[in-house]
Amino acid sequence: MFVALPPMTSVTSAMPASMSHSMSCIDRYLRYLGYDVCYVRNFTDVDDKIIARANDLGEDPLSLSRRYCKEFRHDMVYLNCLPPSVEPRVSDHMPQIIYMIKQILDNGCAYRIDGDVYFSVDKFPDYGCLSGRKLDDNRAGERVAVDSRKQNPADFALWKSAKEGEPFWESPWGPGRPGWHIECSAMSAAYLGYSFDIHGGGMDLVFPHHENEIAQSCAACGQSNVSYWMHNGFVTVDSEKMSKSLGNFFTIRQVIDLYHPLALRLFLLGTHYRSPINYSVALLESASDRVFYIYQTLRDCEEMLCQHDGAIQDSLPPETLSCIIKFRSDFQTSMSDDLHTPVVLAALSEPLKTINDLLHTRKGKKQALRIESVSSLEREIRNVLTVLGLMPTSYSEALQQLREKALKRADLTEDQVLQKIVERTSARMNKEYEKSDGIRKELAAVGIALMDGPDGTTWRPSVPLSLQEHQVSS
């Protein structure tokens, strides 16, 4: 992925969904600040794992890659990630890759062996500058391919000679395909030049991938430079590393089958991008509950403002103005401090509470310039949600979708919930309080909260009772 901003700010990285989500967030924030962003997300559509998987399935590797790239894009749309400016694929950039390898060879930093081309790490004194590793630490077999022909065990492939059953391209060194690392350097140089601002990726890419990118890019062009590196933390499940072998692996599609995509997005934003993200049902339920609260509050704002026919004044009460100034300051300070999204989410609490007080409390309803306060607070929150990628197309539509997901998790239909409400209302009228409490607890146990009001009883999604108790005990 790459991003460019004036004065020529740029970003690159190959990344999983969690990092793509983070880069989408910084893309939005930089645009909010007024930068002209060129956001590039590159696809590796040729590598050892893809070829092995394609062979297992009896499918063409490039066809398999195209299919998964398409599915990935769908997932990013679900998560409300902005589309990148450019999405280069390795298979479409062989001329650029071959040209960069030629530059590295011409500069004496690579060597040829039987149709393969290897980068010589001994020719780059700053090797290890990103990861802090020393060459002595790079033992063959530990994320470094074993090959007795290499001059140094840490040397890595720039070009691999063709093997039977693998896709290949013609090159000055014979038919073959690029090594993993060279593709990112070549594509970033093609779209951003050799010097750009931000390069992103997973924490596991610091070494050897990004370390090797630095070495080969600098070997090709001495002015090569990346101003900032962003690396996201790993995803864990109930504090254990997510892994297919452990059977605790979830896809985005599986998660959003039960939870609203924007609840998943808020869940991801709730952890700083460099920290491990602990995936758990309890945290997802909490994120879903929070999203519902936010959208319900803003939907209530809409209804109130739609009913107001008079003019809205420019002035605001001092307390409202103070709330807005602090919220705006917290937002910009936190986002500018290495994208501290958890702090921004926490900062939403005060303006949301102020809105609910103005809408629903006796004191709030009497406050001077109440309409102006609600309108201004709603606008500030909406602006922040837009930057965070949490703005739905419609509050009402999002609330309905959140209800539908909650019903699915509870294995109930809305008619069944409404029937329970009728039964509970009848029990209360007959002073069967134990029965009515039992119905409330039964629904609360599966994440359906009942709310009694002047106009009767309604329901909303909530964190299931057992998970609430678990959170309290934790």
PDB file of all heavy atoms in Angstrom, residues 412-433:
ATOM      1  N   LEU A 412     -33.635 -15.799  17.673  1.00  0.00           N
ATOM      2  CA  LEU A 412     -35.028 -15.391  17.867  1.00  0.00           C
ATOM      3  C   LEU A 412     -35.492 -14.572  16.674  1.00  0.00           C
ATOM      4  O   LEU A 412     -34.686 -13.990  15.953  1.00  0.00           O
ATOM      5  CB  LEU A 412     -35.165 -14.518  19.131  1.00  0.00           C
ATOM      6  CG  LEU A 412     -34.957 -15.187  20.496  1.00  0.00           C
ATOM      7  CD1 LEU A 412     -34.894 -14.112  21.580  1.00  0.00           C
ATOM      8  CD2 LEU A 412     -36.067 -16.185  20.798  1.00  0.00           C
ATOM      9  N   THR A 413     -36.804 -14.530  16.477  1.00  0.00           N
ATOM     10  CA  THR A 413     -37.380 -13.606  15.499  1.00  0.00           C
ATOM     11  C   THR A 413     -37.929 -12.406  16.267  1.00  0.00           C
ATOM     12  O   THR A 413     -38.158 -12.486  17.484  1.00  0.00           O
ATOM     13  CB  THR A 413     -38.511 -14.256  14.704  1.00  0.00           C
ATOM     14  OG1 THR A 413     -39.593 -14.560  15.602  1.00  0.00           O
ATOM     15  CG2 THR A 413     -38.036 -15.539  14.017  1.00  0.00           C
ATOM     16  N   GLU A 414     -38.174 -11.315  15.560  1.00  0.00           N
ATOM     17  CA  GLU A 414     -38.726 -10.146  16.242  1.00  0.00           C
ATOM     18  C   GLU A 414     -40.117 -10.439  16.761  1.00  0.00           C
ATOM     19  O   GLU A 414     -40.497  -9.959  17.844  1.00  0.00           O
ATOM     20  CB  GLU A 414     -38.749  -8.938  15.313  1.00  0.00           C
ATOM     21  CG  GLU A 414     -39.238  -7.674  16.024  1.00  0.00           C
ATOM     22  CD  GLU A 414     -38.773  -6.398  15.387  1.00  0.00           C
ATOM     23  OE1 GLU A 414     -38.517  -6.403  14.175  1.00  0.00           O
ATOM     24  OE2 GLU A 414     -38.659  -5.384  16.112  1.00  0.00           O
ATOM     25  N   ASP A 415     -40.900 -11.234  16.036  1.00  0.00           N
ATOM     26  CA  ASP A 415     -42.243 -11.606  16.505  1.00  0.00           C
ATOM     27  C   ASP A 415     -42.173 -12.345  17.837  1.00  0.00           C
ATOM     28  O   ASP A 415     -43.025 -12.136  18.716  1.00  0.00           O
ATOM     29  CB  ASP A 415     -42.955 -12.477  15.467  1.00  0.00           C
ATOM     30  CG  ASP A 415     -43.427 -11.677  14.255  1.00  0.00           C
ATOM     31  OD1 ASP A 415     -43.514 -10.435  14.366  1.00  0.00           O
ATOM     32  OD2 ASP A 415     -43.707 -12.298  13.211  1.00  0.00           O
ATOM     33  N   GLN A 416     -41.160 -13.194  17.983  1.00  0.00           N
ATOM     34  CA  GLN A 416     -41.007 -13.927  19.251  1.00  0.00           C
ATOM     35  C   GLN A 416     -40.664 -12.970  20.394  1.00  0.00           C
ATOM     36  O   GLN A 416     -41.171 -13.132  21.516  1.00  0.00           O
ATOM     37  CB  GLN A 416     -39.916 -14.991  19.103  1.00  0.00           C
ATOM     38  CG  GLN A 416     -40.329 -16.164  18.226  1.00  0.00           C
ATOM     39  CD  GLN A 416     -39.176 -17.127  17.963  1.00  0.00           C
ATOM     40  OE1 GLN A 416     -38.033 -16.705  17.759  1.00  0.00           O
ATOM     41  NE2 GLN A 416     -39.471 -18.422  17.959  1.00  0.00           N
ATOM     42  N   VAL A 417     -39.820 -11.985  20.111  1.00  0.00           N
ATOM     43  CA  VAL A 417     -39.473 -10.996  21.134  1.00  0.00           C
ATOM     44  C   VAL A 417     -40.706 -10.176  21.512  1.00  0.00           C
ATOM     45  O   VAL A 417     -40.982  -9.943  22.701  1.00  0.00           O
ATOM     46  CB  VAL A 417     -38.345 -10.065  20.648  1.00  0.00           C
ATOM     47  CG1 VAL A 417     -38.110  -8.930  21.647  1.00  0.00           C
ATOM     48  CG2 VAL A 417     -37.051 -10.854  20.453  1.00  0.00           C
ATOM     49  N   LEU A 418     -41.474  -9.758  20.515  1.00  0.00           N
ATOM     50  CA  LEU A 418     -42.686  -8.965  20.783  1.00  0.00           C
ATOM     51  C   LEU A 418     -43.703  -9.781  21.558  1.00  0.00           C
ATOM     52  O   LEU A 418     -44.414  -9.235  22.421  1.00  0.00           O
ATOM     53  CB  LEU A 418     -43.284  -8.472  19.465  1.00  0.00           C
ATOM     54  CG  LEU A 418     -42.410  -7.479  18.677  1.00  0.00           C
ATOM     55  CD1 LEU A 418     -43.074  -7.119  17.352  1.00  0.00           C
ATOM     56  CD2 LEU A 418     -42.140  -6.222  19.506  1.00  0.00           C
ATOM     57  N   GLN A 419     -43.768 -11.082  21.284  1.00  0.00           N
ATOM     58  CA  GLN A 419     -44.686 -11.939  22.045  1.00  0.00           C
ATOM     59  C   GLN A 419     -44.243 -12.024  23.504  1.00  0.00           C
ATOM     60  O   GLN A 419     -45.085 -12.002  24.422  1.00  0.00           O
ATOM     61  CB  GLN A 419     -44.721 -13.337  21.422  1.00  0.00           C
ATOM     62  CG  GLN A 419     -45.660 -14.328  22.120  1.00  0.00           C
ATOM     63  CD  GLN A 419     -47.096 -13.844  22.186  1.00  0.00           C
ATOM     64  OE1 GLN A 419     -47.605 -13.262  21.227  1.00  0.00           O
ATOM     65  NE2 GLN A 419     -47.764 -14.062  23.312  1.00  0.00           N
ATOM     66  N   LYS A 420     -42.948 -12.087  23.733  1.00  0.00           N
ATOM     67  CA  LYS A 420     -42.424 -12.104  25.106  1.00  0.00           C
ATOM     68  C   LYS A 420     -42.768 -10.798  25.821  1.00  0.00           C
ATOM     69  O   LYS A 420     -43.083 -10.799  27.023  1.00  0.00           O
ATOM     70  CB  LYS A 420     -40.897 -12.306  25.088  1.00  0.00           C
ATOM     71  CG  LYS A 420     -40.447 -13.687  24.674  1.00  0.00           C
ATOM     72  CD  LYS A 420     -40.738 -14.716  25.755  1.00  0.00           C
ATOM     73  CE  LYS A 420     -40.198 -16.081  25.381  1.00  0.00           C
ATOM     74  NZ  LYS A 420     -40.526 -17.106  26.418  1.00  0.00           N
ATOM     75  N   ILE A 421     -42.722  -9.693  25.091  1.00  0.00           N
ATOM     76  CA  ILE A 421     -43.076  -8.404  25.681  1.00  0.00           C
ATOM     77  C   ILE A 421     -44.545  -8.385  26.081  1.00  0.00           C
ATOM     78  O   ILE A 421     -44.901  -7.884  27.166  1.00  0.00           O
ATOM     79  CB  ILE A 421     -42.760  -7.262  24.685  1.00  0.00           C
ATOM     80  CG1 ILE A 421     -41.227  -7.110  24.543  1.00  0.00           C
ATOM     81  CG2 ILE A 421     -43.372  -5.947  25.147  1.00  0.00           C
ATOM     82  CD1 ILE A 421     -40.809  -6.117  23.484  1.00  0.00           C
ATOM     83  N   VAL A 422     -45.399  -8.950  25.226  1.00  0.00           N
ATOM     84  CA  VAL A 422     -46.842  -9.030  25.542  1.00  0.00           C
ATOM     85  C   VAL A 422     -47.054  -9.874  26.797  1.00  0.00           C
ATOM     86  O   VAL A 422     -47.826  -9.496  27.703  1.00  0.00           O
ATOM     87  CB  VAL A 422     -47.619  -9.628  24.346  1.00  0.00           C
ATOM     88  CG1 VAL A 422     -49.061  -9.946  24.757  1.00  0.00           C
ATOM     89  CG2 VAL A 422     -47.603  -8.672  23.162  1.00  0.00           C
ATOM     90  N   GLU A 423     -46.370 -11.011  26.872  1.00  0.00           N
ATOM     91  CA  GLU A 423     -46.500 -11.899  28.034  1.00  0.00           C
ATOM     92  C   GLU A 423     -46.021 -11.197  29.300  1.00  0.00           C
ATOM     93  O   GLU A 423     -46.641 -11.330  30.371  1.00  0.00           O
ATOM     94  CB  GLU A 423     -45.691 -13.180  27.804  1.00  0.00           C
ATOM     95  CG  GLU A 423     -46.241 -14.080  26.715  1.00  0.00           C
ATOM     96  CD  GLU A 423     -45.326 -15.259  26.431  1.00  0.00           C
ATOM     97  OE1 GLU A 423     -44.404 -15.504  27.250  1.00  0.00           O
ATOM     98  OE2 GLU A 423     -45.530 -15.933  25.399  1.00  0.00           O
ATOM     99  N   ARG A 424     -44.932 -10.471  29.195  1.00  0.00           N
ATOM    100  CA  ARG A 424     -44.393  -9.773  30.363  1.00  0.00           C
ATOM    101  C   ARG A 424     -45.335  -8.649  30.804  1.00  0.00           C
ATOM    102  O   ARG A 424     -45.566  -8.448  32.005  1.00  0.00           O
ATOM    103  CB  ARG A 424     -43.000  -9.195  30.040  1.00  0.00           C
ATOM    104  CG  ARG A 424     -42.380  -8.418  31.191  1.00  0.00           C
ATOM    105  CD  ARG A 424     -40.956  -8.028  30.857  1.00  0.00           C
ATOM    106  NE  ARG A 424     -40.412  -7.134  31.875  1.00  0.00           N
ATOM    107  CZ  ARG A 424     -40.512  -5.809  31.873  1.00  0.00           C
ATOM    108  NH1 ARG A 424     -41.154  -5.203  30.872  1.00  0.00           N
ATOM    109  NH2 ARG A 424     -39.991  -5.083  32.851  1.00  0.00           N
ATOM    110  N   THR A 425     -45.873  -7.920  29.833  1.00  0.00           N
ATOM    111  CA  THR A 425     -46.811  -6.841  30.159  1.00  0.00           C
ATOM    112  C   THR A 425     -48.021  -7.392  30.886  1.00  0.00           C
ATOM    113  O   THR A 425     -48.501  -6.828  31.890  1.00  0.00           O
ATOM    114  CB  THR A 425     -47.251  -6.110  28.879  1.00  0.00           C
ATOM    115  OG1 THR A 425     -46.091  -5.575  28.236  1.00  0.00           O
ATOM    116  CG2 THR A 425     -48.216  -4.980  29.205  1.00  0.00           C
ATOM    117  N   SER A 426     -48.519  -8.523  30.406  1.00  0.00           N
ATOM    118  CA  SER A 426     -49.673  -9.181  31.045  1.00  0.00           C
ATOM    119  C   SER A 426     -49.320  -9.616  32.458  1.00  0.00           C
ATOM    120  O   SER A 426     -50.118  -9.446  33.397  1.00  0.00           O
ATOM    121  CB  SER A 426     -50.100 -10.381  30.200  1.00  0.00           C
ATOM    122  OG  SER A 426     -51.137 -11.086  30.837  1.00  0.00           O
ATOM    123  N   ALA A 427     -48.130 -10.184  32.628  1.00  0.00           N
ATOM    124  CA  ALA A 427     -47.694 -10.639  33.960  1.00  0.00           C
ATOM    125  C   ALA A 427     -47.592  -9.465  34.928  1.00  0.00           C
ATOM    126  O   ALA A 427     -47.997  -9.572  36.099  1.00  0.00           O
ATOM    127  CB  ALA A 427     -46.350 -11.355  33.845  1.00  0.00           C
ATOM    128  N   ARG A 428     -47.111  -8.326  34.464  1.00  0.00           N
ATOM    129  CA  ARG A 428     -46.993  -7.147  35.322  1.00  0.00           C
ATOM    130  C   ARG A 428     -48.377  -6.620  35.720  1.00  0.00           C
ATOM    131  O   ARG A 428     -48.592  -6.213  36.861  1.00  0.00           O
ATOM    132  CB  ARG A 428     -46.195  -6.058  34.608  1.00  0.00           C
ATOM    133  CG  ARG A 428     -44.731  -6.428  34.383  1.00  0.00           C
ATOM    134  CD  ARG A 428     -44.018  -5.353  33.597  1.00  0.00           C
ATOM    135  NE  ARG A 428     -43.791  -4.148  34.390  1.00  0.00           N
ATOM    136  CZ  ARG A 428     -43.453  -2.974  33.893  1.00  0.00           C
ATOM    137  NH1 ARG A 428     -43.348  -2.834  32.578  1.00  0.00           N
ATOM    138  NH2 ARG A 428     -43.252  -1.935  34.678  1.00  0.00           N
ATOM    139  N   MET A 429     -49.274  -6.625  34.744  1.00  0.00           N
ATOM    140  CA  MET A 429     -50.633  -6.158  35.046  1.00  0.00           C
ATOM    141  C   MET A 429     -51.300  -7.049  36.083  1.00  0.00           C
ATOM    142  O   MET A 429     -52.089  -6.589  36.915  1.00  0.00           O
ATOM    143  CB  MET A 429     -51.475  -6.123  33.759  1.00  0.00           C
ATOM    144  CG  MET A 429     -51.068  -5.027  32.779  1.00  0.00           C
ATOM    145  SD  MET A 429     -52.011  -5.073  31.254  1.00  0.00           S
ATOM    146  CE  MET A 429     -53.651  -4.699  31.866  1.00  0.00           C
ATOM    147  N   ASN A 430     -50.955  -8.357  36.049  1.00  0.00           N
ATOM    148  CA  ASN A 430     -51.529  -9.314  37.009  1.00  0.00           C
ATOM    149  C   ASN A 430     -50.677  -9.435  38.271  1.00  0.00           C
ATOM    150  O   ASN A 430     -50.891 -10.327  39.088  1.00  0.00           O
ATOM    151  CB  ASN A 430     -51.664 -10.685  36.349  1.00  0.00           C
ATOM    152  CG  ASN A 430     -52.662 -10.677  35.207  1.00  0.00           C
ATOM    153  OD1 ASN A 430     -53.667  -9.953  35.252  1.00  0.00           O
ATOM    154  ND2 ASN A 430     -52.403 -11.481  34.172  1.00  0.00           N
ATOM    155  N   LYS A 431     -49.689  -8.519  38.392  1.00  0.00           N
ATOM    156  CA  LYS A 431     -48.787  -8.492  39.551  1.00  0.00           C
ATOM    157  C   LYS A 431     -47.996  -9.798  39.718  1.00  0.00           C
ATOM    158  O   LYS A 431     -47.633 -10.193  40.828  1.00  0.00           O
ATOM    159  CB  LYS A 431     -49.563  -8.173  40.834  1.00  0.00           C
ATOM    160  CG  LYS A 431     -50.219  -6.788  40.794  1.00  0.00           C
ATOM    161  CD  LYS A 431     -50.886  -6.441  42.103  1.00  0.00           C
ATOM    162  CE  LYS A 431     -51.502  -5.030  42.044  1.00  0.00           C
ATOM    163  NZ  LYS A 431     -52.133  -4.644  43.314  1.00  0.00           N
ATOM    164  N   GLU A 432     -47.719 -10.454  38.568  1.00  0.00           N
ATOM    165  CA  GLU A 432     -46.887 -11.663  38.586  1.00  0.00           C
ATOM    166  C   GLU A 432     -45.439 -11.230  38.322  1.00  0.00           C
ATOM    167  O   GLU A 432     -44.861 -11.483  37.277  1.00  0.00           O
ATOM    168  CB  GLU A 432     -47.363 -12.649  37.514  1.00  0.00           C
ATOM    169  CG  GLU A 432     -48.782 -13.158  37.736  1.00  0.00           C
ATOM    170  CD  GLU A 432     -49.274 -14.024  36.592  1.00  0.00           C
ATOM    171  OE1 GLU A 432     -49.476 -13.507  35.474  1.00  0.00           O
ATOM    172  OE2 GLU A 432     -49.425 -15.247  36.829  1.00  0.00           O
ATOM    173  N   TYR A 433     -44.889 -10.569  39.309  1.00  0.00           N
ATOM    174  CA  TYR A 433     -43.598  -9.926  39.116  1.00  0.00           C
ATOM    175  C   TYR A 433     -42.447 -10.925  38.933  1.00  0.00           C
ATOM    176  O   TYR A 433     -41.490 -10.646  38.214  1.00  0.00           O
ATOM    177  CB  TYR A 433     -43.309  -8.986  40.284  1.00  0.00           C
ATOM    178  CG  TYR A 433     -44.350  -7.894  40.401  1.00  0.00           C
ATOM    179  CD1 TYR A 433     -45.105  -7.740  41.564  1.00  0.00           C
ATOM    180  CD2 TYR A 433     -44.589  -7.033  39.336  1.00  0.00           C
ATOM    181  CE1 TYR A 433     -46.064  -6.735  41.660  1.00  0.00           C
ATOM    182  CE2 TYR A 433     -45.547  -6.030  39.419  1.00  0.00           C
ATOM    183  CZ  TYR A 433     -46.284  -5.899  40.578  1.00  0.00           C
ATOM    184  OH  TYR A 433     -47.251  -4.920  40.666  1.00  0.00           O
TER     185      TYR A 433
END
